[in-house]
Amino acid sequence: MPISSHTMEETSPLEDKIGNYIASLIEDESTLQMGIGSIPNAALSKLTNHKNLGLHTEMFSDGVIDLIESNVINGNYKGVSRGRALATFVIGSQRLYDFVNDNPFIEMKESIYVNDTARIRKNPKMVAINSAIEVDVTGQVCADSIGARMYSGVGGQMDFIRGASLSEGGKAIIALPSITKNGDSRIVPFLKQGAGVVTTRSHIQYIITENGIADLYGKTLRQRVAEMVKIAHPNHQEWIDREYYNLTNCK
């Protein structure tokens, strides 16, 4: 039976904008982890002029192939499995499966090894790139449910966000469009009733939408709200700000 394959779709202009913002935070000699979806692939497509990147990730897809073949991703500055790409599983096209097959550069390990926070943090400049369903204005990240209704699993987001936060020079990034397909804001004053917090506000550093980058590191709650409102969709900014301060009685 042939392996089930998934062809990588073209990224949208909105995803390209988010990808550009992500790429602007990635330094040469960084080690990357990316979640599933078109936004991480959009970010990877913007890294062609970077140098000496590494890969330590739960999964990867087609977006890494060209970067490995062009020696942008070579793993030369990693703290774990130096000179190799480390992952647990791959999802992508037949081209990806052919590329991985019998490739000595690719090292596959079980998740208990790859997702170990103590191991992840050993990579200098570890950059974790993940997404979310919604994020509140203080930085609480819901990535597995829509309210009380479960939508997906948590995956390795907690492990890699924490590992990147503890890495020397590391960066923990959550990237998402500012609105849903229905036009509802994904940057919210408060998470929906019943929603779970996958990544806490004490661990997150950067939230990115197509409207910019919110740097939450070391910020007070008031400063965080201001940062998050700036990256929300313009149609929702006033409502988000007003709703948060009205319900918290914070002037």
Side-chain angles (χ1 to χ4, degrees), residues 121-169:
R121 69 178 295 185
K122 291 180 181 179
N123 296 301
K125 300 182 183 178
M126 184 73 208
V127 179
I129 306 163
N130 290 272
S131 192
I133 293 172
E134 63 179 7
V135 184
D136 78 12
V137 289
T138 70
Q140 296 188 111
V141 177
C142 175
D144 65 345
S145 67
I146 301 173
R149 180 169 65 88
M150 295 307 297
Y151 181 79
S152 69
V154 299
Q157 182 175 126
M158 296 174 295
D159 306 318
F160 283 95
I161 289 291
R162 182 64 173 155
S165 298
L166 294 171
S167 161
E168 183 177 353

Side-chain angles (χ1 to χ4, degrees), residues 1 7 48-49 53 56 63 69 71 77 85 89-90 109 115 119 144 146 181 184 192 201 212 228 240:
M1 180 181 293
T7 302
T48 54
N49 292 322
L53 299 180
H56 181 138
E69 290 184 334
N71 201 44
Y77 288 84
F89 67 99
V90 298
K109 294 277 192 179
N115 290 30
R119 186 168 286 112
D144 65 345
I146 301 173
K181 293 179 180 178
D184 297 325
K192 291 182 178 64
R201 61 193 178 199
M228 292 296 290
I240 293 168

Side-chain angles (χ1 to χ4, degrees), residues 34-246:
M34 68 287 298
I36 297 172
S38 53
I39 289 177
N41 283 328
L44 289 168
S45 72
K46 313 299 180 185
L47 300 177
T48 54
N49 292 322
H50 281 62
K51 297 177 181 178
N52 297 315
L53 299 180
L55 196 64
H56 181 138
T57 184
E58 187 175 35
M59 67 80 63
F60 65 82
S61 190
D62 290 66
V64 305
I65 300 176
D66 291 341
L67 294 179
I68 294 173
E69 290 184 334
S70 63
N71 201 44
V72 171
I73 292 178
N74 54 37
N76 289 344
Y77 288 84
K78 292 175 63 184
V80 176
S81 296
R82 181 167 294 184
R84 304 182 78 182
L86 180 63
T88 293
F89 67 99
V90 298
I91 297 178
S93 68
Q94 187 61 48
R95 179 195 178 204
L96 176 68
Y97 301 145
D98 292 340
F99 176 77
V100 170
N101 183 46
D102 204 25
N103 186 336
F105 181 72
I106 309 297
E107 182 177 3
M108 308 296 289
K109 294 277 192 179
E110 64 273 22
S111 59
I112 196 172
Y113 180 94
V114 176
N115 290 30
D116 181 0
T117 298
R119 186 168 286 112
I120 295 166
R121 69 178 295 185
K122 291 180 181 179
N123 296 301
K125 300 182 183 178
M126 184 73 208
V127 179
I129 306 163
N130 290 272
S131 192
I133 293 172
E134 63 179 7
V135 184
D136 78 12
V137 289
T138 70
Q140 296 188 111
V141 177
C142 175
D144 65 345
S145 67
I146 301 173
R149 180 169 65 88
M150 295 307 297
Y151 181 79
S152 69
V154 299
Q157 182 175 126
M158 296 174 295
D159 306 318
F160 283 95
I161 289 291
R162 182 64 173 155
S165 298
L166 294 171
S167 161
E168 183 177 353
K171 296 174 181 176
I173 299 170
I174 295 291
L176 71 165
S178 66
I179 55 174
T180 68
K181 293 179 180 178
N182 296 326
D184 297 325
S185 183
R186 296 174 68 174
I187 306 299
V188 294
F190 305 95
L191 298 180
K192 291 182 178 64
Q193 184 175 3
V197 176
V198 171
T199 294
T200 74
R201 61 193 178 199
S202 62
H203 290 137
I204 202 63
Q205 292 177 295
Y206 299 99
I207 308 289
I208 298 177
T209 72
E210 74 278 10
N211 301 309
I213 302 172
D215 181 358
L216 305 185
Y217 185 72
K219 298 289 197 304
T220 65
L221 290 182
R222 185 183 295 273
Q223 291 169 333
R224 283 167 175 252
V225 173
E227 285 283 303
M228 292 296 290
V229 168
K230 287 191 301 184
I231 66 167
H233 192 280
N235 292 348
H236 295 284
Q237 290 178 354
E238 183 179 350
W239 162 76
I240 293 168
D241 192 59
R242 183 179 65 248
E243 188 77 2
Y244 176 79
Y245 285 111
N246 281 347

